[in-house]
Amino acid sequence: MSDRPTPTPRRLQFKPFSSLWVRLLTGAVLGGLVGCAPSNRHETLVVTGSSTVAPLAGEMGQRHESQQADVQVDVQSGGSSRGIADVRSGMADIGMISRDLTPEEQDLTTHVIAQDGITVIVHESNPITSLTDREIVGIYAGEIENWQEVGGEDAPIVVVNKADGRATLDVFLDYFRLESRQIQADIVIGDNTQGLKTVAGNPHAIGYISIGTAQAAVDHGEAILLLPINGIAPSPENVANGTFPLGRSLSLMTSDSPSESVQAFIDFAQSDAVHDLIEAQNLVPVP
Amino acid sequence: MGAIAQSLAMVSGLILLGMILFLLKESLPLLNQISPWQFLFHPHWQPLNGEYGVLALLIGSLLVTLGSVLLAVPLALASALFCNDYAPSWLANIHRRALQLLAGVPSVVFGFWGLVTLVPLINQWQPPGASLLAGSLILALMILPTIALVADSAIAQVPLNYRHTASSLGLGRWATLRGAVLPSAQSGILAGIVLGAGRAIGETMAVLMVSGNVVQIPESLFDSMRTLTANIALEMAYATDSHRGALFVSGLLLSLIITGFMTLVAIARHQEVSPHGR
C-alpha cells in the first residue's frame, strides 16, 4: 500500500501567464481609460428606489434619452427606502418612492409622477370575488386560517406578505391599521415579480400588490384575480377619481437643490408627453 | 512574469483582507451594543423593534444546507461511480459535460424555476409550498454537479493496482468499489461534499425565491423559513444604523462558517495527499 502515488501538486500551480493574458489585461485597462473620456460629455442620472415606480421611470428614461442625447438615465430598483438612502448619501441623483414621506423624511422633496392603488390579489381559480376589510385584517392577523370561513373552499389560506421596509407593506398596514408584527405570514416576498409568481402558482394564496403591476400581469395571462377593496373595484378610473381607498402617489424625489439636468428629467416625467407611458402601465397620470 | 503573478496574487490577498476589515468595521458598532452571545441566541429578529437575534436564520441556513447535502450526496456518488465504473467512456463524457453545464446555470434560473414549478407542486401536497423542502431541493440541484465532479476525480485518482488487487482476490465489481475504491477516495469525496455545503450555505437568490422567508425555526420540512443570506438580501436595501450593523454581523458569521468549511476541505485534501501521515 505504500506505493500509492501522491497526486501531483503541479495542477495547483497557476501558470497561464502567457503574453496573451498580459496583452488582454493591458488592453482592458487601456480600454477602460479611453472609455472614460467620452463619458465626460454625457451626463448619467442615477435613479434608484421603489420597484413599483422603476418600470415606469425606466420607460420615461428611455424616451428622455431619445430626446436628450447627452443625458443617460440609469434606473435601478430596490425599494423606496433604498431610494431615500441613496438620495441622502448622494449615490443617486433621483429617488423613486411609492408612499408618502414620513415626518423624519421631510428633508427630501417629492415630485408626483403618477397615481396608483394597492389591491388584494388571489389565484384565478379561487371562487372568492370580494372580501370585506374586516376579513382581510382577520386573514393577515392569523384569525381566519381557512378559505371556508370567508365563503370559499375548504383549504388553508396561504398568506403572502411583503418584507419589512417595502412601501407597499407600509401603505397596506396603514390602511388596515395593522402592525407589522401582528401579521402571520406563510410566505414573505421581496419584489413585485416574486409576489405575482407566488400567488399565480398557488391556488390558495392571498397577496397584495400595486394595481398597475397586477393589471399588467393579468393582461399577460398570469393566473391572478384582483379583488375590490371595501366594495370598490381596483380600476384606474377609481384611482383617478379618488374613490379607491388604498390609493398612493408614485413620486420621484430629490434633495433640496436639483441640478439642471435632474430638474429637466423631472419636468419631463411630469409633462403630458409621458401620459401614454403611464397609462400603458395601468397607472393614472396626475391631472 | 513571476513578478506580475506575485503582485496580482498580493492584490487578491489585499482585497480579501480589505473585505474582512470592512465587515469588521461595519459590524463593530452593533457588537458594542449587544454581545455576540445575545446576537446568536436572542429568539427574535425584529429589526424595526431593535431586536437582533439570528438564531432562527442561522438554524434555517444550516438546515437547508444539511437538507441539500443529504439529497445531493447519494445522487452525486452514484453519478461519480457511474462515470468511472459503469458507463462506457463516451457516455461518461456526455454525463460529465451535462454536469458541467448544470454547474454553470445561474442561480437565479434555478430560483425562478423553483418558484414557478417546484413550489406550486409542493403546495398541492402540503401548503404553502415555499418551504425548507423546496429550498433543500433547489440547492441540492445546484450543488450536485460540484460534489459529483469532485467525487468523480477523487475516484479516478484511486490507483489502478487497488482495483487489480481486489479483482485478483476474486471480488466482484461492487465489492471492489465498496471495499477498496470508495474508502481510499473517501477524503476527496468528503472535500467535495464540504465544498458543496459551502456553496449551499452561501447561496442567496435561489433560496430567497423558494423558501418562503418567514423568520421562524421550521418545525417540519414543509414550513417556510429564512436563511441568513436571504435575510441580508431582503433587508439590506432599507437597513440603517444598528440594523445595517446586524446584517453585516450576519455576513461576518457566514464568512466564518464558510471559512470553517474550507478549512475542513483543506484538512481532507491534506489527508488525501498523505494517507499514512495521520
Side-chain angles (χ1 to χ4, degrees):
Chain A
M1 290 285 235
S2 60
D3 62 346
R4 186 168 192 253
T6 48
T8 48
R10 183 169 292 278
R11 67 194 156 94
L12 294 177
Q13 281 176 6
F14 187 65
K15 49 176 195 174
F17 258 98
S18 62
S19 54
L20 174 68
W21 277 95
V22 176
R23 251 181 279 161
L24 281 175
L25 273 176
T26 337
V29 171
L30 286 179
L33 288 175
V34 174
C36 285
S39 74
N40 288 339
R41 277 186 277 120
H42 285 264
E43 191 174 355
T44 304
L45 298 181
V46 178
V47 186
T48 71
S50 161
S51 67
T52 310
V53 189
L56 178 62
E59 295 281 336
M60 289 177 170
Q62 276 185 8
R63 187 170 287 180
H64 188 64
E65 279 171 15
S66 68
Q67 295 175 2
Q68 307 274 327
D70 54 343
V71 178
Q72 190 184 339
V73 183
D74 183 4
V75 177
Q76 300 160 14
S77 74
S80 297
S81 309
R82 177 182 170 196
I84 291 171
D86 284 355
V87 170
R88 279 184 176 159
S89 70
M91 298 256 289
D93 303 297
I94 302 174
M96 299 175 284
I97 182 167
S98 48
R99 57 171 168 79
D100 295 332
L101 291 175
T102 65
E104 296 92 67
E105 293 160 356
Q106 295 302 326
D107 54 318
L108 301 166
T109 315
T110 54
H111 314 266
V112 178
I113 56 172
Q115 298 285 341
D116 181 32
I118 293 168
T119 196
V120 170
I121 54 170
V122 293
H123 192 268
E124 194 181 46
S125 69
N126 198 318
I128 298 278
T129 50
S130 76
L131 290 169
T132 64
D133 284 5
R134 185 179 294 220
E135 285 169 336
I136 293 171
V137 169
I139 288 171
Y140 270 87
E143 289 147 16
I144 300 175
E145 294 183 325
N146 196 302
W147 282 111
Q148 222 168 14
E149 297 171 55
V150 290
E153 52 194 306
D154 180 18
I157 302 177
V158 173
V159 176
V160 181
N161 192 31
K162 279 252 178 182
D164 273 345
R166 305 279 168 164
T168 315
L169 170 71
D170 293 340
V171 176
F172 182 82
L173 292 178
D174 208 38
Y175 173 73
F176 288 106
R177 298 209 178 83
L178 280 162
E179 292 276 332
S180 180
R181 60 190 315 168
Q182 273 176 278
I183 291 191
Q184 303 289 317
D186 295 301
I187 297 178
V188 176
I189 49 140
D191 62 12
N192 287 329
T193 320
Q194 198 189 352
L196 270 174
K197 294 286 174 197
T198 303
V199 176
N202 191 323
H204 305 129
I206 181 168
Y208 54 89
I209 192 171
S210 146
I211 293 177
T213 316
Q215 195 57 50
V218 170
D219 295 344
H220 283 98
E222 288 284 5
I224 57 164
L225 184 69
L226 284 68
L227 298 187
I229 298 287
N230 205 11
I232 296 165
S235 65
E237 297 74 44
N238 288 340
V239 172
N241 62 30
T243 49
F244 190 75
L246 249 174
R248 60 170 168 180
S249 302
L250 305 183
S251 315
L252 300 177
M253 70 191 147
T254 52
S255 53
D256 279 340
S257 48
S259 74
E260 204 172 300
S261 48
V262 167
Q263 191 59 50
F265 179 65
I266 289 172
D267 290 344
F268 178 71
Q270 289 182 317
S271 70
D272 295 349
V274 292
H275 278 189
D276 58 320
L277 295 179
I278 296 173
E279 278 155 5
Q281 308 239 356
N282 292 294
L283 298 169
V284 178
V286 186
Chain B
M1 277 313 125
I4 295 178
Q6 206 176 359
S7 45
L8 284 180
M10 250 172 73
V11 167
S12 59
L14 281 177
I15 291 173
L16 184 67
L17 192 72
M19 275 168 62
I20 293 173
L21 285 179
F22 174 74
L23 270 179
L24 279 174
K25 183 188 142 254
E26 294 285 338
S27 303
L28 271 181
L30 183 86
L31 288 178
N32 283 334
Q33 269 176 45
I34 63 170
S35 67
W37 184 260
Q38 216 182 343
F39 182 75
L40 280 178
F41 295 107
H42 184 78
H44 297 294
W45 176 268
Q46 289 277 353
L48 298 179
N49 297 319
E51 293 179 274
Y52 307 109
V54 291
L55 187 63
L57 305 169
L58 180 63
I59 290 179
S61 274
L62 293 176
L63 279 179
V64 81
T65 304
L66 181 72
S68 66
V69 167
L70 288 180
L71 287 166
V73 165
L75 289 172
L77 274 187
S79 136
L81 288 176
F82 173 76
C83 278
N84 272 287
D85 289 82
Y86 291 90
S89 66
W90 62 269
L91 187 58
N93 276 331
I94 293 178
H95 187 79
R96 286 195 190 103
R97 290 270 172 255
L99 281 176
Q100 284 160 3
L101 205 64
L102 191 64
V105 175
S107 68
V108 67
V109 175
F110 279 105
F112 199 67
W113 176 79
L115 182 62
V116 297
T117 310
L118 184 67
V119 170
L121 267 179
I122 299 177
N123 175 60
Q124 286 175 12
W125 179 27
Q126 285 281 346
S131 55
L132 171 58
L133 179 67
S136 301
L137 280 167
I138 291 291
L139 284 180
L141 265 182
M142 295 178 63
I143 64 173
L144 171 67
T146 312
I147 304 180
L149 291 168
V150 175
D152 182 24
S153 75
I155 290 171
Q157 276 178 23
V158 174
L160 255 187
N161 58 8
Y162 280 31
R163 291 167 190 271
H164 292 160
T165 312
S167 47
S168 71
L169 288 170
L171 295 179
R173 180 145 67 174
W174 175 238
T176 307
L177 288 177
R178 212 183 55 167
V181 175
L182 281 180
S184 61
Q186 194 182 22
S187 54
I189 294 171
L190 268 179
I193 295 173
V194 180
L195 214 58
R199 183 173 178 204
I201 204 166
E203 177 47 48
T204 308
M205 241 3 246
V207 283
L208 170 69
M209 292 170 99
V210 302
S211 52
N213 304 316
V214 176
V215 185
Q216 61 180 11
I217 298 172
E219 285 166 7
S220 85
L221 273 177
F222 304 103
D223 275 357
S224 167
M225 51 120 241
R226 191 186 289 190
T227 63
L228 282 168
T229 49
N231 188 52
I232 296 176
L234 277 174
E235 299 190 350
M236 191 52 100
Y238 73 95
T240 47
D241 309 331
S242 54
H243 181 197
R244 196 173 129 91
L247 294 181
F248 275 106
V249 181
S250 337
L252 200 63
L253 182 65
L254 265 172
S255 318
L256 280 179
I257 295 173
I258 295 176
T259 311
F261 280 170
M262 292 309 142
T263 314
L264 285 180
V265 176
I267 292 171
R269 285 270 189 231
H270 179 71
Q271 290 184 347
E272 185 184 18
V273 174
S274 53
H276 306 294
R278 276 171 249 182

